[in-house]
Amino acid sequence: MSNTYGSIFRITTFGESHGTAVGVIVDGCPAGLPITIEEIQAALDRRRPGQSKITTPRDEKDQVQILSGIFNGQTQGTPIALAVFNKDQASHDYTHIEKAYRPSHADYTYTAKYGSRDHRGGGRSSARETLARVAAGVLAQKFLALQGIQITSYVSQVGSIYAPADYTQLDLSQVDNTIVRCPHPETAQAMIQLIEETRDKLDTVGGVVSCVIKGVPAGLGEPVFDKLHAELGKAMLSINAVKGFEYGSGFEGVSMYGSQHNDVFYTDEDGQVKTRTNHSGGIQGGISNGQDIYFKVAFKPVATILQPQSSIDQSGQEITLQGKGRHDPCVLPRAVPIVDAMAALVLADFVLRQRANKVD
Amino acid sequence: MSNTYGSIFRITTFGESHGTAVGVIVDGCPAGLPITIEEIQAALDRRRPGQSKITTPRDEKDQVQILSGIFNGQTQGTPIALAVFNKDQASHDYTHIEKAYRPSHADYTYTAKYGSRDHRGGGRSSARETLARVAAGVLAQKFLALQGIQITSYVSQVGSIYAPADYTQLDLSQVDNTIVRCPHPETAQAMIQLIEETRDKLDTVGGVVSCVIKGVPAGLGEPVFDKLHAELGKAMLSINAVKGFEYGSGFEGVSMYGSQHNDVFYTDEDGQVKTRTNHSGGIQGGISNGQDIYFKVAFKPVATILQPQSSIDQSGQEITLQGKGRHDPCVLPRAVPIVDAMAALVLADFVLRQRANKVD
Amino acid sequence: MSNTYGSIFRITTFGESHGTAVGVIVDGCPAGLPITIEEIQAALDRRRPGQSKITTPRDEKDQVQILSGIFNGQTQGTPIALAVFNKDQASHDYTHIEKAYRPSHADYTYTAKYGSRDHRGGGRSSARETLARVAAGVLAQKFLALQGIQITSYVSQVGSIYAPADYTQLDLSQVDNTIVRCPHPETAQAMIQLIEETRDKLDTVGGVVSCVIKGVPAGLGEPVFDKLHAELGKAMLSINAVKGFEYGSGFEGVSMYGSQHNDVFYTDEDGQVKTRTNHSGGIQGGISNGQDIYFKVAFKPVATILQPQSSIDQSGQEITLQGKGRHDPCVLPRAVPIVDAMAALVLADFVLRQRANKVD
Amino acid sequence: MSNTYGSIFRITTFGESHGTAVGVIVDGCPAGLPITIEEIQAALDRRRPGQSKITTPRDEKDQVQILSGIFNGQTQGTPIALAVFNKDQASHDYTHIEKAYRPSHADYTYTAKYGSRDHRGGGRSSARETLARVAAGVLAQKFLALQGIQITSYVSQVGSIYAPADYTQLDLSQVDNTIVRCPHPETAQAMIQLIEETRDKLDTVGGVVSCVIKGVPAGLGEPVFDKLHAELGKAMLSINAVKGFEYGSGFEGVSMYGSQHNDVFYTDEDGQVKTRTNHSGGIQGGISNGQDIYFKVAFKPVATILQPQSSIDQSGQEITLQGKGRHDPCVLPRAVPIVDAMAALVLADFVLRQRANKVD
């Protein structure tokens, strides 16, 4: 198990889907950061089940508690423990999957790895763990705001429906204006319709979250291994259901020529170093160059579908599984705050690491 | 700086493009692994400049030395230091880029980060650093071979020319049969032609390396943060010029429905758990499931082009840069052993970490 | 802040003396370890205040809760979160020390470090944090017991009163037979008397905890930096009030000649490699040699005394502080389970690390 | 194996006593630090064999090479590789100990751990590895000098001969005035005489190195686990032959009362916070308080003696070993620069870590 992420600004999460609590210890958050429980709760509310008609109808409040590290409304430099106690975890019936290996879930792999598993609601492999990341991410986002760094994630694709590729043509302040969290209104409507149709067919669908980070100073990232985009990639790939990551020109950039792809430097009227294009996605040699950082994260369709599926149980016998309960037909809208949080954790860590790179 | 990668099987690289030496310390390689200097040299020869007509004509031999850790033909559990001393580093003339920021290189970002940089040949940001990874990767590959794990990378795309997407239809033993390292002969010929045309136009072109890993037992990977694909992603994204990573169904999987995407389990005639499809890419919940692992890595076109380009210098003045010297028109053929090496380092680390996950 | 200890078997603690809760996440405890909440509680009861007439009369029950990671009576390989919620933390009055720097406490240094501090009961610097270590240590001790490794700590000195130096002449099963946790009955009585006299003088006194570890196989420890005794030393020195650590012959060994100090090897009747003396304390070159490991840990007298003391406040003004409340005149009896726990955490980590050191 | 030390300012050493080279990668040394090869060589010369009549007569020059990371006389933020190539390693004859387990050496434990060992001169367990630490330590010392932090180690005890305990009564600028590196001239003469007598008896003797660190600002150290003294302790205990560590009042402090031991704060005429005594050794709650830091390190007598000793070989057969070659009768004089180096590495790391602890 590796439940810790980050080098200086570091989180360690705990909790199973239907255990007593899910939570996080944030260690290394600088002292003196003002924070309220309401700010943390607001971020959790963006992630919580039951927030709209296109998410799972499970209406979980996910009330966060602060167990340590915050005193007089400020961080103290000491570890900050946050927890959400699960409600009614005993009331669910998961005996039907106790010995089953659900297709494209982690039932089989956890059992292979550990010899046993907590089968209730996916146990530790449940995306419920990500609420801990979202809670911790609020601290990182508040710290970054003090540095002038803003992170905006949004749903850019659901199934085959996608928003205009160029984020500079979108109004990123509008992300939360639609329940699908796509800032392009027409695309958002089509996405919502697709998700509803998919849900009505008892099926699920995937999509893409795009993220734009503005205000990053040149110099963040720690080559040769902890390149800025390499850590962003790892952080994103560690989110449940993620299958791919690309930044800047990404996979499309491979079919360009160098003469097209290179970003030409110039000095603007304020004496700032800029590039005329930004195929680099704001990162060169693994270090931010001061331009906008942007990247995409691919999410597969949710594995739990309400249709009968063939599978096997622990003894290897073939079985038929019938999904039941209330599940998301598409995780994308709820994934947006998770991408925000993980991006913030990565950036906050690099801001702090950069402080050690020069003699004074 | 972060020049260390890995948790148990861990490498730390050093060296600038035109410094005294480039090398690596491998710490945590298990004792008792037979290894010869010839095996390490052979891997370096797959990466070295000047190996074919489509790579840079710089003919560097890159002779490796073993400085520690290997005794009587075996690893001892002690740190293994490997180094390649640079030849003729003084003879190059890099004064023309001493104060210039080359487009889409790391000149500007390193200077922003550290206040100065070794400008000779890109200094630490040069891909020459990857020879250290390739050397270390040989140890990981030898260790994995003992576990029955084989890694095969190949060039699947150059510019807009790509090999058949389904790797099971390729003969992976043929990778080194063409100088472009694409195991599909017709595609390989087209790729070579494209690279030669690109070079003749004084330009460069990108591409994709695909990787297939066979023989991985179920159970490798350390959720929730060090998921197998998250570490593979980070390792690949840490390679120079990489812009994207996807595994299994990847970005294409987002437009599938759950009912299509789910991989149905079955038990084969030998009692082995298998899946009928493999959109999961051999990884579920961040843990290997025993099926083939496969992923793709996107490389941008090389930034150094032999055409004049506009840029700025350290004082912010606009300049015109004229690339010179001998450079790769396409890094893909030489990237194959680097992807092999990084994949091996990731897998070797997870094999060792898995030993600690059960009571006995 | 660094609130994480361990490499594979790793704990992260949180909580202030008078915050909401104190607790720990144990990450990397192997799956399949049977554990009950009663076992964890029993260890906490050995550490808790109010357990005897020579500890603080504060009668805190310190009831532990399991928040995650244990299912069906066994560890699951997932992170184990344990917490003790503080009772009545609001009822204490600490305004008299809000701006004061108590002598030989961490009030001044925490303020210098972080710019502010939670002054209530010492905040994060309180030894109350060690209950998290004790809780986590139970898991390590249970794991070690499966390997045949037993750890026994005891009070060997209080003030100037000490037990016979040679632990082989003590009955280590008798540690908990006296409230001072010294297995030598006559010495124990003298220690208790000294502690009571010291308390009556409104003063405090220091002492030494000795620790003996039996059943350690040869081969544990990770040179050159994570030598077995170096990690034991760090772990012990990280406990509140510890001022020194020595193992084997320790400081006395410096005045010996090599010809006296060397431990001669022999093979016993069972073919086991043994040494005729054990000045090495069971560790050679930082690796266990199969003989008993033993070491000593020096604890200074508790800084909180119920006498008036001169000091300064945050503005630098001289003040007189009058200690109040209920405090330990001597921490030694309660330190024993903490030393046990930290020793167990170190050993468990090395047992797991050793699994990765050979090819098979 | 764990051959890396440090969190931000981090070293990784390599090399066996009689392998090709011994060296180190320093990663995380801030950019912009001026450094010359002569400064590194000077530190190595303080550690080298053959430097005086009371060290081993082996006259090894230990010429250091810089392989990377230093350009134009300054660190670049990139990894700094330093190496000393061994001379004449083939010429020694170690066949007599190839299968023997020398008493109180690491021959047996390395074999138990790894299944084999490089027996030549102790292989990796040789104190020759510490030259890599000394070389790296120069960078840390130069960085600390910029912060106004000075480290002075000296020999305070050899066998039963010791210098006055109170370091404030010694002239610490006189350490290198005697070959034994004790700044108290009369004691130094007695120590030298004892070492010579011991050598003539074909024996060895231990001792104590004391270390004083001045100019440390309040605020360094990272509780609760990486307390300043805990890291100092680990660093010192990781040096070959070290058996104990104590700081401030140390083991003697245990027999003091709290009312004696507490260090009373006051504000001096310059408005500086000070303490009237310094039993705390400059560290409270694991964090520096601005007073002098001081600690002691116990070294056992060298295990290699030139007398016949009984032992066993790998097959368990009893043998008689006759030490031969040229060895140190007492390591203390040569241990001084090693203690300096490790202390510097610890402090430099904490200076850099402290930069991340506050919001701005």
Side-chain angles (χ1 to χ4, degrees):
Chain A
M1 268 283 157
S2 180
N3 298 286
T4 297
Y5 185 77
S7 170
I8 293 180
F9 197 114
R10 193 153 54 167
I11 66 170
T12 303
T13 74
F14 67 88
E16 288 87 30
S17 177
H18 290 69
T20 301
V22 173
V24 63
I25 300 178
V26 183
D27 199 12
C29 181
L33 186 70
I35 189 81
T36 67
I37 195 167
E38 290 76 18
E39 291 171 310
I40 302 170
Q41 189 62 52
L44 289 177
D45 290 346
R46 287 185 88 209
R47 199 213 72 99
R48 82 173 177 85
Q51 64 182 269
S52 79
K53 65 179 179 180
I54 56 170
T55 68
T56 165
R58 291 194 316 274
D59 190 21
E60 295 169 6
K61 293 290 181 256
D62 291 347
Q63 293 290 338
V64 70
Q65 293 183 34
I66 298 171
L67 303 187
S68 72
I70 296 173
F71 182 60
N72 287 339
Q74 287 202 332
T75 58
Q76 297 296 315
T78 56
I80 300 159
L82 307 171
V84 170
F85 281 73
N86 294 324
K87 306 291 184 193
D88 311 319
Q89 67 264 34
S91 68
H92 299 275
D93 180 9
Y94 282 94
T95 50
H96 66 297
I97 58 166
E98 183 169 355
K99 295 178 193 307
Y101 294 145
R102 292 170 298 160
S104 291
H105 274 278
D107 302 339
Y108 170 63
T109 55
Y110 267 67
T111 308
K113 183 169 192 65
Y114 298 113
S116 69
R117 74 178 203 277
D118 179 350
H119 66 277
R120 301 166 303 166
R124 182 64 181 159
S125 72
S126 165
R128 187 157 176 75
E129 180 267 343
T130 58
L131 76 79
R133 305 180 183 205
V134 170
V138 176
L139 290 154
Q141 284 165 294
K142 287 222 64 174
F143 173 64
L144 292 175
L146 296 179
Q147 326 289 323
I149 299 174
Q150 300 98 26
I151 297 168
T152 309
S153 305
Y154 61 94
V155 175
S156 57
Q157 184 172 348
V158 172
S160 300
I161 297 170
Y162 46 86
D166 183 355
Y167 72 86
T168 66
Q169 299 179 356
L170 301 174
D171 179 353
L172 295 181
S173 71
Q174 302 301 307
V175 173
D176 277 8
N177 271 15
T178 64
I179 56 177
V180 76
R181 293 203 169 93
C182 172
H184 193 256
E186 301 83 57
T187 310
Q189 289 317 309
M191 287 171 168
I192 293 169
Q193 187 177 335
L194 174 59
I195 295 172
E196 295 194 302
E197 288 170 2
T198 302
R199 179 194 61 208
D200 294 346
K201 288 191 293 186
L202 308 180
D203 216 330
T204 60
V205 68
V208 173
V209 172
S210 291
C211 181
V212 178
I213 312 178
K214 290 175 174 289
V216 180
L220 303 191
E222 300 289 329
V224 292
F225 291 111
D226 295 355
K227 286 174 173 157
L228 179 42
H229 58 270
E231 280 299 336
L232 284 170
K234 177 178 170 178
M236 298 304 143
L237 289 157
S238 78
I239 301 172
N240 305 51
V242 172
K243 303 291 286 187
F245 169 86
E246 62 177 18
Y247 78 104
S249 61
F251 276 90
E252 286 193 13
V254 307
S255 48
M256 293 171 76
Y257 288 103
S259 55
Q260 300 169 303
H261 193 276
N262 281 356
D263 295 319
V264 170
F265 284 112
Y266 71 100
T267 310
D268 75 1
E269 54 269 30
D270 299 326
Q272 296 293 306
V273 173
K274 295 209 167 156
T275 59
R276 298 203 185 275
T277 50
N278 187 13
H279 297 117
S280 298
I283 304 171
Q284 292 173 326
I287 301 169
S288 60
N289 68 358
Q291 308 305 297
D292 289 353
I293 292 172
Y294 65 95
F295 60 82
K296 287 186 179 178
V297 188
F299 288 79
K300 69 168 188 174
V302 177
T304 300
I305 57 176
L306 299 183
Q307 304 172 25
Q309 295 180 93
S310 174
S311 194
I312 58 172
D313 65 14
Q314 283 182 213
S315 66
Q317 295 303 304
E318 198 171 310
I319 56 173
T320 297
L321 270 170
Q322 172 61 54
K324 59 182 183 175
R326 294 163 297 173
H327 297 278
D328 287 284
C330 178
V331 293
L332 275 290
R334 292 176 60 205
V336 166
I338 307 169
V339 171
D340 279 342
M342 292 307 299
L345 291 163
V346 170
L347 266 291
D349 201 34
F350 281 124
V351 167
L352 295 172
R353 292 173 79 175
Q354 174 61 4
R355 293 183 181 177
N357 278 313
K358 295 181 194 169
V359 163
D360 41 31
Chain B
M1 265 285 155
S2 181
N3 297 287
T4 297
Y5 185 77
S7 171
I8 293 180
F9 197 113
R10 195 153 52 168
I11 65 169
T12 303
T13 73
F14 68 88
E16 288 85 31
S17 177
H18 290 68
T20 303
V22 172
V24 63
I25 300 179
V26 183
D27 199 13
C29 180
L33 186 69
I35 188 81
T36 65
I37 197 167
E38 290 77 16
E39 292 170 309
I40 301 171
Q41 189 63 53
L44 288 179
D45 290 345
R46 287 186 86 209
R47 198 212 72 99
R48 82 172 176 89
Q51 64 183 271
S52 78
K53 64 177 179 179
I54 57 169
T55 68
T56 167
R58 291 194 315 274
D59 189 21
E60 295 168 5
K61 294 288 181 257
D62 290 348
Q63 293 290 338
V64 71
Q65 294 184 34
I66 298 171
L67 303 187
S68 71
I70 296 173
F71 182 61
N72 286 340
Q74 287 203 333
T75 59
Q76 298 294 316
T78 56
I80 300 159
L82 307 171
V84 170
F85 281 73
N86 293 323
K87 305 290 185 195
D88 311 319
Q89 66 264 35
S91 66
H92 299 276
D93 180 10
Y94 282 94
T95 51
H96 65 298
I97 59 167
E98 183 168 354
K99 295 178 192 310
Y101 294 146
R102 291 170 297 160
S104 290
H105 274 278
D107 301 337
Y108 171 63
T109 55
Y110 266 67
T111 307
K113 185 170 191 65
Y114 298 112
S116 70
R117 73 178 205 278
D118 179 348
H119 66 277
R120 300 167 303 168
R124 183 63 180 160
S125 72
S126 164
R128 186 155 177 75
E129 180 267 344
T130 58
L131 76 78
R133 306 180 183 206
V134 170
V138 176
L139 289 153
Q141 284 165 293
K142 287 222 64 174
F143 173 63
L144 292 174
L146 296 179
Q147 325 289 321
I149 300 174
Q150 299 99 25
I151 297 168
T152 310
S153 304
Y154 60 94
V155 177
S156 57
Q157 184 172 346
V158 172
S160 298
I161 297 169
Y162 46 86
D166 182 357
Y167 72 86
T168 64
Q169 299 179 358
L170 301 174
D171 180 354
L172 296 181
S173 71
Q174 303 302 306
V175 173
D176 277 8
N177 272 14
T178 62
I179 57 177
V180 76
R181 293 203 169 93
C182 172
H184 193 256
E186 301 84 56
T187 309
Q189 288 319 309
M191 288 171 168
I192 293 169
Q193 186 177 337
L194 173 60
I195 294 172
E196 295 194 302
E197 288 168 2
T198 302
R199 180 194 58 207
D200 294 346
K201 289 190 292 185
L202 307 179
D203 217 331
T204 59
V205 67
V208 174
V209 171
S210 290
C211 180
V212 178
I213 312 177
K214 291 176 174 289
V216 180
L220 302 193
E222 299 289 329
V224 292
F225 291 110
D226 296 354
K227 286 173 173 158
L228 178 43
H229 57 271
E231 281 298 337
L232 285 170
K234 176 178 172 179
M236 297 306 143
L237 288 157
S238 79
I239 300 172
N240 304 50
V242 172
K243 304 290 287 187
F245 169 86
E246 62 176 19
Y247 78 104
S249 61
F251 276 89
E252 287 191 14
V254 306
S255 50
M256 294 171 76
Y257 288 104
S259 56
Q260 301 168 301
H261 193 274
N262 282 355
D263 295 319
V264 170
F265 284 111
Y266 70 100
T267 310
D268 76 1
E269 55 269 31
D270 300 326
Q272 297 294 305
V273 173
K274 296 209 167 155
T275 60
R276 297 205 185 273
T277 50
N278 187 14
H279 297 116
S280 298
I283 303 172
Q284 291 173 326
I287 301 168
S288 61
N289 68 359
Q291 308 306 298
D292 289 353
I293 292 172
Y294 65 96
F295 60 83
K296 286 185 180 177
V297 187
F299 289 79
K300 70 167 187 174
V302 175
T304 299
I305 57 176
L306 300 183
Q307 305 173 24
Q309 294 181 93
S310 174
S311 194
I312 57 172
D313 65 15
Q314 282 181 214
S315 65
Q317 296 303 304
E318 198 171 310
I319 55 172
T320 296
L321 271 171
Q322 172 61 53
K324 58 182 185 175
R326 294 164 296 173
H327 296 279
D328 286 284
C330 178
V331 294
L332 274 291
R334 293 177 59 204
V336 165
I338 307 169
V339 171
D340 279 342
M342 292 307 299
L345 290 163
V346 170
L347 267 290
D349 200 34
F350 281 125
V351 167
L352 294 173
R353 293 174 78 174
Q354 174 60 5
R355 293 184 181 177
N357 278 312
K358 295 182 193 169
V359 163
D360 43 30
Chain C
M1 266 285 154
S2 180
N3 297 287
T4 296
Y5 186 76
S7 170
I8 293 179
F9 198 113
R10 191 152 56 167
I11 66 169
T12 303
T13 73
F14 67 89
E16 287 86 31
S17 176
H18 290 68
T20 301
V22 173
V24 63
I25 300 178
V26 183
D27 199 14
C29 181
L33 186 71
I35 189 79
T36 67
I37 195 167
E38 289 77 17
E39 292 170 309
I40 301 170
Q41 190 62 53
L44 289 178
D45 289 347
R46 288 184 87 209
R47 198 212 73 99
R48 82 173 177 87
Q51 64 182 269
S52 79
K53 65 178 177 178
I54 56 169
T55 68
T56 167
R58 290 195 315 274
D59 190 20
E60 296 168 4
K61 294 288 181 257
D62 290 347
Q63 293 290 339
V64 70
Q65 295 183 33
I66 298 171
L67 303 188
S68 71
I70 297 172
F71 182 62
N72 287 339
Q74 287 202 334
T75 58
Q76 298 295 315
T78 57
I80 300 160
L82 307 172
V84 171
F85 281 75
N86 292 324
K87 305 290 185 196
D88 311 321
Q89 67 264 36
S91 66
H92 299 275
D93 181 9
Y94 282 94
T95 51
H96 65 297
I97 58 166
E98 183 169 352
K99 294 180 194 306
Y101 295 145
R102 293 169 296 160
S104 290
H105 274 278
D107 302 338
Y108 171 63
T109 55
Y110 267 67
T111 308
K113 184 171 191 65
Y114 299 114
S116 70
R117 73 178 206 275
D118 179 349
H119 65 277
R120 301 167 302 167
R124 182 65 180 159
S125 74
S126 165
R128 186 155 176 75
E129 180 267 344
T130 59
L131 77 77
R133 306 181 184 205
V134 170
V138 176
L139 289 154
Q141 285 165 292
K142 288 222 62 174
F143 173 63
L144 292 174
L146 296 179
Q147 326 290 321
I149 299 174
Q150 298 98 26
I151 297 167
T152 309
S153 305
Y154 61 94
V155 176
S156 57
Q157 184 171 347
V158 171
S160 299
I161 297 170
Y162 45 86
D166 182 355
Y167 72 86
T168 65
Q169 299 179 359
L170 301 173
D171 179 354
L172 296 181
S173 70
Q174 304 301 306
V175 173
D176 276 8
N177 271 15
T178 64
I179 57 176
V180 76
R181 294 204 166 92
C182 172
H184 192 256
E186 301 82 56
T187 310
Q189 289 317 308
M191 288 172 168
I192 292 169
Q193 187 177 334
L194 173 60
I195 294 172
E196 295 193 303
E197 288 169 2
T198 303
R199 181 194 57 207
D200 294 347
K201 290 191 291 185
L202 308 180
D203 217 331
T204 59
V205 68
V208 174
V209 172
S210 291
C211 181
V212 179
I213 312 177
K214 291 175 174 286
V216 180
L220 302 192
E222 299 289 330
V224 293
F225 291 109
D226 296 354
K227 285 172 173 158
L228 178 43
H229 58 271
E231 280 298 336
L232 284 170
K234 175 178 173 179
M236 298 306 144
L237 288 157
S238 78
I239 300 172
N240 304 51
V242 172
K243 303 290 287 186
F245 169 87
E246 62 177 18
Y247 78 103
S249 61
F251 276 89
E252 288 193 13
V254 307
S255 49
M256 293 171 75
Y257 288 103
S259 56
Q260 300 168 303
H261 193 277
N262 282 353
D263 295 319
V264 170
F265 285 111
Y266 71 100
T267 309
D268 77 1
E269 55 270 28
D270 300 325
Q272 296 293 307
V273 173
K274 297 208 166 156
T275 60
R276 297 206 184 273
T277 51
N278 187 14
H279 297 117
S280 298
I283 303 173
Q284 291 171 326
I287 301 168
S288 61
N289 69 357
Q291 308 307 296
D292 289 352
I293 291 171
Y294 65 96
F295 59 84
K296 287 186 178 178
V297 188
F299 288 80
K300 69 168 187 173
V302 176
T304 299
I305 58 176
L306 300 184
Q307 305 174 25
Q309 294 181 94
S310 174
S311 194
I312 59 171
D313 63 16
Q314 284 182 213
S315 66
Q317 295 303 304
E318 198 170 310
I319 56 173
T320 297
L321 271 171
Q322 172 62 53
K324 58 181 185 176
R326 295 163 296 175
H327 297 278
D328 287 284
C330 179
V331 295
L332 275 290
R334 292 177 59 205
V336 165
I338 306 170
V339 171
D340 279 343
M342 291 309 297
L345 289 164
V346 170
L347 267 290
D349 201 33
F350 280 125
V351 167
L352 294 174
R353 291 173 79 174
Q354 174 60 6
R355 293 184 181 177
N357 278 312
K358 295 182 194 169
V359 163
D360 42 32
Chain D
M1 267 282 156
S2 180
N3 297 288
T4 297
Y5 184 77
S7 172
I8 292 181
F9 198 112
R10 193 153 54 169
I11 66 168
T12 303
T13 74
F14 67 88
E16 287 86 30
S17 177
H18 290 68
T20 301
V22 173
V24 63
I25 300 178
V26 182
D27 199 13
C29 181
L33 186 70
I35 189 81
T36 66
I37 196 167
E38 290 76 17
E39 292 170 310
I40 302 170
Q41 189 63 51
L44 289 179
D45 289 346
R46 288 185 87 209
R47 198 213 72 99
R48 80 173 179 87
Q51 63 182 269
S52 79
K53 66 179 178 178
I54 57 170
T55 68
T56 166
R58 289 196 314 274
D59 189 21
E60 295 169 5
K61 293 288 182 255
D62 291 347
Q63 293 291 337
V64 70
Q65 294 184 34
I66 298 172
L67 303 187
S68 70
I70 296 173
F71 181 61
N72 287 338
Q74 287 202 333
T75 58
Q76 298 295 315
T78 56
I80 301 159
L82 307 171
V84 170
F85 281 73
N86 293 324
K87 305 289 184 195
D88 311 321
Q89 67 263 34
S91 67
H92 299 276
D93 180 10
Y94 282 94
T95 50
H96 65 298
I97 58 166
E98 182 169 354
K99 295 179 192 309
Y101 294 144
R102 291 169 299 160
S104 290
H105 275 278
D107 301 338
Y108 171 63
T109 55
Y110 266 67
T111 308
K113 184 169 191 65
Y114 299 113
S116 69
R117 74 178 204 276
D118 178 351
H119 66 278
R120 300 166 303 166
R124 181 67 181 158
S125 73
S126 164
R128 187 156 176 73
E129 180 268 341
T130 60
L131 75 79
R133 306 180 183 206
V134 170
V138 176
L139 290 153
Q141 283 164 292
K142 287 222 64 173
F143 173 64
L144 292 174
L146 296 180
Q147 327 288 321
I149 299 173
Q150 299 98 26
I151 298 167
T152 310
S153 304
Y154 60 96
V155 176
S156 57
Q157 185 172 347
V158 171
S160 300
I161 298 169
Y162 45 86
D166 183 355
Y167 72 87
T168 65
Q169 299 179 358
L170 300 174
D171 179 354
L172 297 182
S173 71
Q174 303 302 306
V175 174
D176 277 7
N177 272 13
T178 63
I179 57 176
V180 76
R181 296 204 166 92
C182 172
H184 193 255
E186 302 82 56
T187 310
Q189 289 318 308
M191 287 172 169
I192 292 168
Q193 187 177 335
L194 174 60
I195 294 172
E196 295 193 303
E197 288 170 4
T198 303
R199 180 195 58 206
D200 294 347
K201 289 191 292 185
L202 307 180
D203 216 332
T204 60
V205 68
V208 174
V209 172
S210 292
C211 181
V212 179
I213 312 179
K214 291 174 173 290
V216 181
L220 303 192
E222 301 288 329
V224 295
F225 291 109
D226 296 354
K227 286 174 172 157
L228 178 43
H229 57 272
E231 281 298 336
L232 285 170
K234 176 178 170 178
M236 298 305 143
L237 288 157
S238 77
I239 300 171
N240 304 51
V242 172
K243 303 290 287 186
F245 169 88
E246 64 178 16
Y247 78 105
S249 61
F251 276 89
E252 288 192 13
V254 308
S255 51
M256 294 170 77
Y257 288 103
S259 56
Q260 302 168 300
H261 193 276
N262 282 355
D263 295 319
V264 170
F265 285 111
Y266 71 100
T267 309
D268 76 3
E269 54 271 28
D270 299 325
Q272 296 293 306
V273 174
K274 297 208 167 157
T275 61
R276 297 203 186 274
T277 51
N278 187 14
H279 297 117
S280 298
I283 303 172
Q284 290 172 327
I287 300 169
S288 60
N289 68 358
Q291 307 307 296
D292 289 353
I293 292 171
Y294 64 97
F295 59 84
K296 287 186 179 177
V297 188
F299 289 79
K300 68 168 189 174
V302 176
T304 299
I305 56 176
L306 300 184
Q307 304 174 25
Q309 294 180 94
S310 173
S311 194
I312 59 171
D313 64 15
Q314 283 182 212
S315 66
Q317 294 304 303
E318 198 170 310
I319 56 174
T320 296
L321 269 172
Q322 171 63 50
K324 58 181 183 175
R326 296 163 296 173
H327 297 278
D328 286 284
C330 178
V331 293
L332 275 292
R334 292 178 59 204
V336 166
I338 306 170
V339 171
D340 279 342
M342 292 308 297
L345 290 163
V346 170
L347 266 291
D349 201 33
F350 280 126
V351 167
L352 294 173
R353 292 174 79 174
Q354 174 61 6
R355 294 185 180 176
N357 277 314
K358 295 181 193 170
V359 163
D360 42 31

